[in-house]
């Protein structure tokens, strides 16, 4: 395979958590004078890139999200990697106007990727992948409804992991199996077929809500 899509910052954040080297990645980012108040996830992403934890990118797509320093960090990575960069602006305000603008941004992104990769957009493949996406996102919303109960049907750890699974392996059949299992596990807990430990606290990731 000559094209591999990767959510760089999220992947590096997960790597840092698993390898317990968040401090090393943050220290590496600080060596490039990244302000301490910049989002720690972006700092870890930059530090991981500087430590060559991921291969050098051939192209970078950035989103203008409400995350302090996100675009600045991505721009720095793109500058050091000497690769093309496409910024996708996320509009706000009037829904219809914003929707038209965002569609235009996505159309430009497709042209950008076709030029960078030398491959044309495969619309049939996209449609088949989105079928998985709609199915497991429907399951995930059902799980979130069940998670409003006390005690939690799913553990904090499971709930947080499932909320970020889509970012790591988007539109993949593997996700559908994971969400089906999570939904069934939540139902089993509610119906008493699975006994969860007593709930002492509840974590919420407001980023996803």
């Amino acid at each position: 395979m000559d094209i591999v899509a990767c959510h760089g910052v999220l992947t590096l954040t997960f790597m840092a958590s698993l390898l317990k080297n968040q401090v090393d990645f943050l220290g590496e980012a600080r060596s490039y004078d990244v302000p301490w108040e910049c989002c720690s996830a972006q700092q870890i992403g930059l530090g991981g890139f500087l430590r060559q934890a991921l291969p050098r990118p051939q192209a970078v797509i950035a989103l203008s999200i409400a995350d302090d320093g996100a675009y600045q960090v991505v721009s720095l990575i793109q500058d050091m990697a000497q690769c093309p960069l496409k910024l996708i602006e996320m509009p706000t305000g009037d829904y219809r106007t914003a929707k038209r603008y965002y569609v235009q941004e996505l159309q430009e992104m497709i042209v950008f990727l076709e030029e960078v990769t030398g491959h044309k957009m495969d619309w049939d493949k996209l449609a088949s992948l989105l079928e998985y996406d709609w199915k497991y996102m429907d399951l995930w919303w059902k799980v979130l409804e069940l998670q409003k109960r006390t005690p939690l049907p799913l553990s904090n750890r499971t709930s947080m992991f499932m909320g970020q699974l889509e970012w790591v392996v988007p539109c993949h059949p593997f996700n559908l199996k994971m969400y089906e299992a999570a939904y069934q596990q939540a139902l089993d807990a509610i119906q008493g077929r699975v006994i969860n430990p007593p709930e002492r606290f509840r974590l919420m990731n407001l980023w996803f809500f």
Side-chain angles (χ1 to χ4, degrees):
M1 181 182 293
D2 58 348
I3 302 173
V4 179
C6 174
H7 191 303
V9 170
L10 185 70
T11 302
L12 289 165
T13 301
F14 281 1
M15 290 174 63
S17 298
L18 291 171
L19 300 175
K20 307 296 183 184
N21 59 355
Q22 296 98 325
V23 174
D24 295 334
F25 281 10
L26 288 169
E28 196 75 46
R30 297 282 174 78
S31 68
Y32 272 73
D33 295 328
V34 175
W36 67 268
E37 64 270 17
C38 176
C39 172
S40 58
Q42 303 297 335
Q43 292 190 52
I44 288 175
L46 175 60
F49 172 79
L50 294 171
R51 292 206 163 206
Q52 300 181 351
L54 289 179
R56 184 175 294 270
Q58 295 177 315
V60 175
I61 295 177
L63 297 177
S64 61
I65 57 176
D67 188 341
D68 58 336
Y71 180 64
Q72 290 80 356
V73 167
V74 171
S75 298
L76 182 56
I77 291 176
Q78 178 261 344
D79 185 59
M80 290 186 290
Q82 291 295 297
C83 65
L85 168 69
K86 172 60 180 175
L87 173 65
I88 307 297
E89 293 190 80
M90 304 285 284
T92 59
D94 177 69
Y95 173 75
R96 293 181 179 179
T97 303
K99 182 179 178 181
R100 287 196 298 269
Y101 184 84
Y102 189 54
V103 168
Q104 180 181 340
E105 289 287 279
L106 294 178
Q107 291 171 335
E108 293 178 3
M109 180 192 72
I110 291 171
V111 174
F112 170 79
L113 290 173
E114 288 179 338
E115 293 176 349
V116 168
T117 64
H119 294 267
K120 298 298 290 184
M121 181 68 172
D122 188 337
W123 293 100
D124 291 335
K125 184 176 182 181
L126 176 63
S128 65
L129 291 174
L130 287 177
E131 285 185 16
Y132 285 108
D133 188 77
W134 284 112
K135 288 178 181 177
Y136 60 67
M137 289 311 295
D138 179 63
L139 281 170
W140 180 233
W141 282 112
K142 291 179 179 178
V143 171
L144 291 179
E145 284 298 316
L146 297 178
Q147 287 291 86
K148 295 178 181 179
R149 295 170 176 256
T150 302
L152 277 173
L154 296 178
S155 67
N156 279 304
R157 181 185 295 272
T158 301
S159 181
M160 297 289 285
F161 169 75
M162 297 301 297
Q164 300 185 46
L165 183 62
E166 161 69 358
W167 290 31
V168 182
V169 280
C171 300
H172 195 283
F174 169 78
N175 282 8
L176 183 57
K177 294 180 180 179
M178 291 293 291
Y179 283 110
E180 287 174 340
Y183 182 56
Q184 187 58 54
Q185 182 180 339
L187 289 177
D188 289 344
I190 291 171
Q191 296 168 7
R193 291 194 291 267
V194 176
I195 305 300
N196 287 333
E199 183 180 349
R200 295 182 298 164
F201 59 89
R202 181 170 299 197
L203 296 177
M204 289 189 65
N205 191 336
L206 300 180
W207 178 267
F208 298 104
F209 302 101

